[in-house]
Amino acid sequence: MRTLPLLLLALACRVDDGGADKVTDAVDTGTADLDGDGFTAESGDCDDHDNQTWPGALELCNGRDDDCDGTIDEEVTTPYYPDSDADGFGDENGAVELCSSPAGFVDRGTDCDDANAQVFPGADEICDEVDNDCDGLVDDGVADTWYVDADGDSYGDASTGAPACERPAGGVANGDDCDDSSANASPDGVESCDNADNDCDGAVDEGVTTVYFVDVDGDGYGDPSLTDEACSVPTGYAENPLDCDDADSEVNPAATELCNGIDDDCDGGVDGADAADAGEWFADADGDTYGDPTTGVTSCAQPVGYVADNQDCDDTTDAVNPAAAEVCNGFDDDCDGTTDGAAATDLATWYLDYDGDGYGGSRFSTMSCSAPAGYVSNTDDCDDTLDTVNPAA
């Protein structure tokens, strides 16, 4: 009989299984291969009535164990997710593995809220305090950021920014306040000298401080070369920079200039005419040690040709001065304001000529440089009551 050899030859050939090629070795197992797929029940064929089912066959999603590994549709099913809100995206928590989508299921399970048809991946984010596009962020890109404005200056604390669809109580849209505990500090603030950044520009007291000067000697006047800027006078500083010697408290613009070789009052001059103890000196043109009172100069040192006494009434004649002897010469020799006065050393004696006959009596006399009216230089009258009685009668 030729039937058995022909069967064995067929098992040794390639079998067309509808697109899946397989090669089998003709093995005489002693058991018939009922479906002709090269495997018998003894060699592992789990369905010897179906030539698409045999060990190693391609597993298909068909509700059968195609590869005879004891598992149906392993690794070939598709996960489907319940889509309660019918937005095309399902809830991952209700996933099922199937070969086709059941009613009410979809193959995308990325819906973050399957009870809201407005919420799904790719949806437009709207400001409703919901994560509409399922990106893990609520109102991202559509909510406004609000900041706490604790001091009520319309500027908030940047560290308090939080997104919200509506402005919360006490919130502002600007987070540029540099000190939300002070209403005097904001980008609109005016800088004042208070050791604070009032205008929030990052600088403190810029343009409003005062320059003060180191005052080492404590006389209220500072050294112009050593300065500091502050809102009030720092300890050891002064407002006035005009001290010319900050190591000596007796030297400053308010000090009294003295004749001591020092510029006491810092006016740039030493022992000048303004010195409190400066002397007044007068020109002594005639060298008699008495000066002309109209030529006075003030100086700490005596100028050449000047003297301290200013009582000379004629500085062109050395014989005329307060120490000179008054003589009868028509000049005020001793500068006492009188000429040929009673102080003259060469006064003459004159006698009253009562009867006017040119001869005087000895009873009444006076001394002067010249004869007073009614006086004569002799006492020769023997009867001064009669003008007819005299030495010439």
Side-chain angles (χ1 to χ4, degrees):
M1 293 179 65
R2 298 178 62 186
T3 303
L4 180 59
L6 291 174
L7 177 60
L8 293 175
L9 179 60
L11 292 175
C13 295
R14 183 179 302 273
V15 178
D16 185 0
D17 61 356
D21 293 340
K22 60 180 181 288
V23 177
T24 60
D25 294 328
V27 178
D28 184 6
T29 62
T31 303
D33 178 11
L34 300 181
D35 56 12
D37 59 7
F39 292 89
T40 65
E42 292 293 330
S43 62
D45 196 336
C46 54
D47 185 352
D48 203 27
H49 297 286
D50 184 354
N51 65 359
Q52 302 299 316
T53 302
W54 43 270
L58 178 65
E59 187 73 20
L60 301 175
C61 201
N62 52 16
R64 298 183 297 178
D65 182 11
D66 301 285
D67 57 4
C68 296
D69 65 353
T71 304
I72 295 175
D73 297 339
E74 75 277 7
E75 300 181 359
V76 293
T77 57
T78 298
Y80 293 97
Y81 309 90
D83 182 14
S84 301
D85 54 13
D87 59 6
F89 295 86
D91 183 355
E92 291 186 354
N93 293 325
V96 294
E97 293 280 342
L98 297 171
C99 292
S100 62
S101 174
F105 282 73
V106 293
D107 59 0
R108 293 179 292 187
T110 52
D111 202 337
C112 55
D113 184 354
D114 201 39
N116 188 343
Q118 304 301 316
V119 176
F120 56 86
D124 291 333
E125 190 73 20
I126 60 176
C127 207
D128 56 2
E129 299 184 359
V130 174
D131 180 12
N132 305 96
D133 57 4
C134 294
D135 64 353
L137 302 173
V138 175
D139 298 336
D140 53 304
V142 293
D144 293 319
T145 301
W146 302 94
Y147 306 87
V148 174
D149 179 19
D151 55 14
D153 60 5
S154 299
Y155 291 87
D157 182 348
S159 67
T160 64
C165 296
E166 296 183 2
R167 183 174 73 88
V172 294
N174 188 302
D176 296 333
D177 204 336
C178 54
D179 184 356
D180 202 39
S181 65
S182 172
N184 293 322
S186 73
D188 286 337
V190 177
E191 195 68 22
S192 60
C193 213
D194 55 4
N195 295 316
D197 180 11
N198 306 99
D199 55 5
C200 292
D201 65 351
V204 175
D205 297 339
E206 74 281 4
V208 294
T209 55
T210 300
V211 178
Y212 296 100
F213 307 87
V214 172
D215 181 16
V216 175
D217 56 16
D219 59 5
Y221 294 86
D223 183 340
S225 66
L226 301 173
T227 65
D228 189 14
E229 292 191 29
C231 295
S232 58
V233 184
T235 302
Y237 282 74
E239 297 180 67
N240 191 304
L242 300 179
D243 203 336
C244 54
D245 184 353
D246 201 38
D248 187 346
S249 63
E250 299 299 322
V251 176
N252 58 66
T256 299
E257 185 70 20
L258 300 174
C259 294
N260 55 7
I262 299 173
D263 181 11
D264 304 277
D265 58 3
C266 296
D267 66 352
V270 177
D271 297 345
D274 60 339
D277 56 350
E280 189 170 11
W281 308 93
F282 305 89
D284 178 19
D286 56 12
D288 60 3
T289 71
Y290 292 90
D292 181 349
T294 65
T295 62
V297 295
T298 303
S299 172
C300 284
Q302 181 179 1
V304 175
Y306 282 71
V307 294
D309 195 300
N310 67 345
Q311 300 180 67
D312 202 336
C313 53
D314 183 355
D315 201 38
T316 63
T317 304
D318 61 359
V320 176
N321 58 67
E326 184 72 23
V327 296
C328 294
N329 56 3
F331 296 99
D332 180 11
D333 304 280
D334 58 3
C335 296
D336 66 353
T338 60
T339 301
D340 297 342
T345 59
D346 58 348
L347 294 175
T349 301
W350 305 92
Y351 302 96
L352 179 64
D353 178 13
Y354 183 76
D355 55 12
D357 56 7
Y359 296 90
S362 59
R363 185 176 178 181
F364 297 102
S365 64
T366 186
M367 297 184 69
S368 66
C369 286
S370 60
Y375 281 76
V376 294
S377 61
N378 65 80
T379 58
D380 297 338
D381 201 337
C382 55
D383 184 353
D384 201 35
T385 62
L386 296 174
D387 60 359
T388 58
V389 177
N390 56 64

